[in-house]
Amino acid sequence: MAEKKNAIDFEALLEKINADFPVYQALDQEGKVVNEDLIPELTDEELVELMTRMVWSRVLDQRSTALNRQGRLGFYAPTAGQEASQLASHFAFEKEDVLLPGYRDVPQLVQHGLPLSEAFLWSRGHVAGNLYADDLQALPPQIIIGAQYVQAAGVALGLKKRKKKNVVFTYTGDGGSSQGDFYEAINFAGAYHANAVFYIQNNGFAISTPREKQTAAATLAQKAVAAGIPGIQVDGMDPLAMYTVSKMAREWAANGNGPVLIEALTYRYGPHTLSGDDPTRYRTKDMDDEWQQKDPLVRFRNYLTEKGLWSEEKEEQVIEQTKEEIKQAIADADRAPKQKVSDFLKNMYEVQPQNIKEQIEIYEAKESK
């Protein structure tokens, strides 16, 4: 009797799914155009502004690292290498859109309107770093991995119920896409067609865990399929591709079509955080060198220089201006009043029980001396 042929080819099913998620790219690593369809209609002034923000972010990363080593900053997650995935994506949104950042997304938060001095205070754990102005459409950076996704889904549904044309946009890393909050959020937002754009900044490692050890999925973008929403994979070192895809995703969500999931293929040149991580223990020099060749600043610099819009002198000017901005911001942060234990207790309780009132009195007496 002839052997019966399997009615279902599971390997073919996987191949079909994996083939649906190409990497979208506008500029190659030399800054040459490889896809005209992804070149956005930005003015020369807007292109220069985007490059200015990216250079600003690289300098901010360098200075923040130095300030942390000096003991003048607290928690810090390096951002060098992710300027395109962060700032070019943010460039596609409006001030009225709501940003829900993770702890590595301080550059977007500052560009969205948070004073840099308050960002420094947040890093120090000062309550003043979380007291946002009423017109700042953002929440403080989320420390819990992936929790900002769930918050974003709720805020996005709120915008939809109020018939707002604005959207929520949020970021996590490849490690965040392995969290339960990640799927719950995209599933909830998809079910309600909420106004959200979700980003996975796939920098290859969740602290030290390689992406390929986190999931069997060939891409992280294809995780959107289970939630019934569009998923797309983008060269996260390419600022023009990041902007174009982000702009299109924002329009899709704002028009009531539901959320979009964007996987940005990027790389962090520094450690996961400055709290003890050593990337040389899990990344090779060859890997670092390969990604250095894809540096988003080099790529965009070459593109703008060819168009006559950028120069070494212009970049030096931006660098010096950024250093002065950082110097002023850290001085402003230094002038913030020191926190008191009595204030912590007052902030914790709207209605203070008797034992807390007694503790407040004790600490106020000590603090007045």
mmCIF file of all heavy atoms in Angstrom, residues 330-346:
data_model
loop_
_atom_site.group_PDB
_atom_site.id
_atom_site.type_symbol
_atom_site.label_atom_id
_atom_site.label_comp_id
_atom_site.label_asym_id
_atom_site.label_seq_id
_atom_site.Cartn_x
_atom_site.Cartn_y
_atom_site.Cartn_z
ATOM 1 N N ILE A 330 21.858 70.727 33.014
ATOM 2 C CA ILE A 330 22.345 70.031 34.207
ATOM 3 C C ILE A 330 22.505 71.023 35.364
ATOM 4 O O ILE A 330 22.270 70.673 36.533
ATOM 5 C CB ILE A 330 23.658 69.272 33.926
ATOM 6 C CG1 ILE A 330 23.891 68.183 34.980
ATOM 7 C CG2 ILE A 330 24.854 70.200 33.854
ATOM 8 C CD1 ILE A 330 22.948 67.022 34.900
ATOM 9 N N ALA A 331 22.839 72.278 35.040
ATOM 10 C CA ALA A 331 22.920 73.311 36.078
ATOM 11 C C ALA A 331 21.531 73.589 36.656
ATOM 12 O O ALA A 331 21.374 73.752 37.874
ATOM 13 C CB ALA A 331 23.525 74.585 35.509
ATOM 14 N N ASP A 332 20.522 73.628 35.784
ATOM 15 C CA ASP A 332 19.144 73.827 36.253
ATOM 16 C C ASP A 332 18.700 72.659 37.134
ATOM 17 O O ASP A 332 18.023 72.866 38.164
ATOM 18 C CB ASP A 332 18.197 73.968 35.060
ATOM 19 C CG ASP A 332 18.416 75.263 34.285
ATOM 20 O OD1 ASP A 332 19.039 76.188 34.838
ATOM 21 O OD2 ASP A 332 17.971 75.339 33.119
ATOM 22 N N ALA A 333 19.069 71.448 36.738
ATOM 23 C CA ALA A 333 18.712 70.272 37.536
ATOM 24 C C ALA A 333 19.393 70.312 38.898
ATOM 25 O O ALA A 333 18.800 69.917 39.921
ATOM 26 C CB ALA A 333 19.087 68.996 36.787
ATOM 27 N N ASP A 334 20.613 70.797 38.938
ATOM 28 C CA ASP A 334 21.344 70.887 40.206
ATOM 29 C C ASP A 334 20.667 71.828 41.190
ATOM 30 O O ASP A 334 20.832 71.700 42.406
ATOM 31 C CB ASP A 334 22.780 71.357 39.961
ATOM 32 C CG ASP A 334 23.655 70.285 39.318
ATOM 33 O OD1 ASP A 334 23.257 69.106 39.362
ATOM 34 O OD2 ASP A 334 24.716 70.638 38.762
ATOM 35 N N ARG A 335 19.919 72.803 40.657
ATOM 36 C CA ARG A 335 19.270 73.785 41.527
ATOM 37 C C ARG A 335 17.925 73.304 42.075
ATOM 38 O O ARG A 335 17.299 73.985 42.897
ATOM 39 C CB ARG A 335 19.073 75.107 40.764
ATOM 40 C CG ARG A 335 20.363 75.916 40.601
ATOM 41 C CD ARG A 335 20.065 77.324 40.109
ATOM 42 N NE ARG A 335 19.630 77.312 38.724
ATOM 43 C CZ ARG A 335 20.457 77.406 37.675
ATOM 44 N NH1 ARG A 335 21.768 77.527 37.875
ATOM 45 N NH2 ARG A 335 19.990 77.393 36.445
ATOM 46 N N ALA A 336 17.457 72.154 41.640
ATOM 47 C CA ALA A 336 16.176 71.641 42.136
ATOM 48 C C ALA A 336 16.279 71.346 43.632
ATOM 49 O O ALA A 336 17.306 70.845 44.105
ATOM 50 C CB ALA A 336 15.789 70.369 41.382
ATOM 51 N N PRO A 337 15.246 71.660 44.406
ATOM 52 C CA PRO A 337 15.286 71.392 45.854
ATOM 53 C C PRO A 337 15.506 69.906 46.123
ATOM 54 O O PRO A 337 14.989 69.042 45.406
ATOM 55 C CB PRO A 337 13.901 71.833 46.321
ATOM 56 C CG PRO A 337 13.385 72.762 45.260
ATOM 57 C CD PRO A 337 13.968 72.267 43.970
ATOM 58 N N LYS A 338 16.297 69.624 47.148
ATOM 59 C CA LYS A 338 16.518 68.231 47.519
ATOM 60 C C LYS A 338 15.218 67.622 48.030
ATOM 61 O O LYS A 338 14.415 68.289 48.674
ATOM 62 C CB LYS A 338 17.599 68.142 48.597
ATOM 63 C CG LYS A 338 18.980 68.480 48.091
ATOM 64 C CD LYS A 338 20.035 68.243 49.168
ATOM 65 C CE LYS A 338 21.427 68.536 48.630
ATOM 66 N NZ LYS A 338 22.483 68.297 49.658
ATOM 67 N N GLN A 339 15.030 66.349 47.748
ATOM 68 C CA GLN A 339 13.808 65.675 48.173
ATOM 69 C C GLN A 339 13.868 65.329 49.659
ATOM 70 O O GLN A 339 14.940 65.085 50.202
ATOM 71 C CB GLN A 339 13.600 64.401 47.339
ATOM 72 C CG GLN A 339 13.480 64.691 45.848
ATOM 73 C CD GLN A 339 13.109 63.471 45.045
ATOM 74 O OE1 GLN A 339 11.953 63.229 44.759
ATOM 75 N NE2 GLN A 339 14.111 62.700 44.662
ATOM 76 N N LYS A 340 12.690 65.299 50.258
ATOM 77 C CA LYS A 340 12.584 65.006 51.675
ATOM 78 C C LYS A 340 11.726 63.759 51.890
ATOM 79 O O LYS A 340 10.786 63.505 51.131
ATOM 80 C CB LYS A 340 11.942 66.188 52.412
ATOM 81 C CG LYS A 340 12.703 67.502 52.266
ATOM 82 C CD LYS A 340 11.926 68.637 52.922
ATOM 83 C CE LYS A 340 12.635 69.960 52.754
ATOM 84 N NZ LYS A 340 11.853 71.079 53.347
ATOM 85 N N VAL A 341 12.048 63.032 52.942
ATOM 86 C CA VAL A 341 11.250 61.843 53.280
ATOM 87 C C VAL A 341 9.815 62.249 53.568
ATOM 88 O O VAL A 341 8.861 61.561 53.179
ATOM 89 C CB VAL A 341 11.869 61.108 54.481
ATOM 90 C CG1 VAL A 341 10.966 59.953 54.914
ATOM 91 C CG2 VAL A 341 13.258 60.589 54.133
ATOM 92 N N SER A 342 9.628 63.393 54.236
ATOM 93 C CA SER A 342 8.268 63.842 54.545
ATOM 94 C C SER A 342 7.465 64.080 53.274
ATOM 95 O O SER A 342 6.263 63.801 53.220
ATOM 96 C CB SER A 342 8.308 65.118 55.383
ATOM 97 O OG SER A 342 8.980 66.165 54.695
ATOM 98 N N ASP A 343 8.144 64.572 52.220
ATOM 99 C CA ASP A 343 7.451 64.788 50.949
ATOM 100 C C ASP A 343 7.058 63.461 50.301
ATOM 101 O O ASP A 343 5.992 63.348 49.690
ATOM 102 C CB ASP A 343 8.328 65.594 49.990
ATOM 103 C CG ASP A 343 8.472 67.047 50.432
ATOM 104 O OD1 ASP A 343 7.566 67.545 51.116
ATOM 105 O OD2 ASP A 343 9.495 67.666 50.078
ATOM 106 N N PHE A 344 7.927 62.466 50.412
ATOM 107 C CA PHE A 344 7.590 61.146 49.864
ATOM 108 C C PHE A 344 6.303 60.626 50.501
ATOM 109 O O PHE A 344 5.419 60.087 49.819
ATOM 110 C CB PHE A 344 8.722 60.142 50.119
ATOM 111 C CG PHE A 344 9.979 60.411 49.345
ATOM 112 C CD1 PHE A 344 11.213 60.071 49.864
ATOM 113 C CD2 PHE A 344 9.932 60.995 48.086
ATOM 114 C CE1 PHE A 344 12.374 60.309 49.167
ATOM 115 C CE2 PHE A 344 11.090 61.239 47.374
ATOM 116 C CZ PHE A 344 12.321 60.898 47.910
ATOM 117 N N LEU A 345 6.221 60.777 51.805
ATOM 118 C CA LEU A 345 5.043 60.292 52.524
ATOM 119 C C LEU A 345 3.795 61.085 52.143
ATOM 120 O O LEU A 345 2.712 60.528 51.988
ATOM 121 C CB LEU A 345 5.287 60.369 54.034
ATOM 122 C CG LEU A 345 6.360 59.423 54.574
ATOM 123 C CD1 LEU A 345 6.689 59.760 56.023
ATOM 124 C CD2 LEU A 345 5.905 57.972 54.465
ATOM 125 N N LYS A 346 3.943 62.393 51.983
ATOM 126 C CA LYS A 346 2.807 63.229 51.598
ATOM 127 C C LYS A 346 2.321 62.871 50.184
ATOM 128 O O LYS A 346 1.121 62.866 49.899
ATOM 129 C CB LYS A 346 3.193 64.700 51.659
ATOM 130 C CG LYS A 346 3.416 65.237 53.059
ATOM 131 C CD LYS A 346 3.917 66.675 53.018
ATOM 132 C CE LYS A 346 4.236 67.204 54.407
ATOM 133 N NZ LYS A 346 4.802 68.582 54.358
#
